């Protein structure tokens, strides 16, 4: 970790590997500064890791990064112990949070962090890049909450890119809050809701049996992607209802 007038720089790294005994080992589990990693009890062949925020942030000027690699035959689930809260800081400029995930053929990753909350006066840019082998499996959840109770949001820009076997199946960006392009809170985007989320599911069997596009209740929809993948998108009035909607949508995908 490094710190200075331009904010804190911190990186956390995880590598999951098939241990040859029906389980998953973690030869690399390195937290840094505000990004602490803890291995918790897994289930079956899956290793589980919790990302624990050891400091507040990201604040203005901070740059956090998390890198996770899942090798062939390994299974990994990554969660977080609490929501990530983007806060204004003394340092000028936006904060950055970069996530880079790789899953080899035959590997499986469940990326299930808690919500990201954009606090009034904050300015956060989040990027998530996921590279998967042709037979890799993925469940990735993102949830963003615009402001705390009764509070206007900060500026939040989030980009998610997913590639399977070198082919891009999803590349989308959402910007909300002060300074974002007009219409982000209009009927075509959030429609006045304060919580937005998505789940990406990648499974080899989707190549032959793609998920059918459909609307799920009032606030969610499922669409197939151009590859062995499906995307669930949802909006909701608050974080609790967003999680409920996403959980129900994931169950419907199977």
């Amino acid at each position: 970790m490094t710190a200075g007038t331009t904010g804190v720089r911190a990186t956390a790294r995880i590598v999951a590997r098939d241990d040859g005994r029906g389980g998953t080992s973690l030869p690399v589990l390195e937290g840094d500064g505000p990004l602490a990693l803890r291995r918790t009890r897994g289930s079956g062949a899956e290793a589980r890791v919790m990302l624990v925020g050891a400091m507040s942030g990201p604040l203005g000027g901070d740059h956090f990064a998390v890198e996770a690699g899942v090798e062939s035959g390994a299974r990994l689930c990554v969660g977080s112990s609490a929501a990530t809260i983007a806060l204004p800081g003394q340092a000028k400029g936006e904060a950055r949070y970069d996530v880079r995930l790789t899953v080899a053929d035959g590997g499986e990753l469940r990326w299930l962090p808690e919500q990201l909350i954009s606090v009034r006066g904050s300015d956060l840019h989040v990027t998530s890049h996921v590279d998967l082998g042709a037979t890799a499996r993925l469940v990735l959840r993102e949830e963003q909450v615009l402001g705390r109770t009764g509070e206007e949001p900060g500026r939040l820009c989030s980009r998610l890119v997913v590639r399977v076997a070198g082919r891009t199946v999803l590349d989308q960006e959402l910007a909300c809050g002060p300074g974002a392009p007009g219409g982000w809170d209009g009927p075509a985007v959030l429609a006045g809701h304060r919580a937005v989320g998505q789940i990406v599911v990648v499974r080899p069997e989707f190549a032959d049996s793609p998920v059918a596009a459909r609307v799920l209740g009032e606030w969610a929809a499922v669409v197939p992607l151009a590859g062995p993948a499906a995307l669930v998108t949802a909006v909701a009035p608050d974080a609790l209802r967003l999680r409920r909607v996403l959980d129900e949508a994931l169950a419907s995908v199977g």
Side-chain angles (χ1 to χ4, degrees), residues 18-25 45:
D18 184 350
D19 66 5
R21 303 187 302 274
T24 298
S25 64

Side-chain angles (χ1 to χ4, degrees), residues 43 93 95 101 108 126 159 185:
S43 175
L101 311 174
E108 181 174 342
V126 181
R159 184 184 179 193
D185 198 27

Side-chain angles (χ1 to χ4, degrees), residues 183-209:
W184 64 269
D185 198 27
V189 188
L190 298 187
H193 293 292
R194 298 182 64 84
V196 58
Q198 58 191 350
I199 295 177
V200 180
V201 182
V202 179
R203 295 177 182 161
E205 53 267 31
F206 286 171
D208 297 321
S209 300

Side-chain angles (χ1 to χ4, degrees), residues 26 30 45 52 81 83 96 106 131 145 160 191 209 211 223:
L26 299 173
E30 301 174 349
V52 180
S81 61
R96 298 190 61 86
D131 284 286
V145 181
L160 173 61
S209 300
V211 171
V223 294

Side-chain angles (χ1 to χ4, degrees), residues 85-88 117-123 145-148 151-155:
I85 303 179
L87 297 164
I117 301 174
S118 174
V119 169
R120 181 178 180 178
S122 64
D123 186 357
V145 181
L146 305 181
R148 294 169 292 195
E151 177 186 63
E152 293 299 314
R155 185 173 187 272

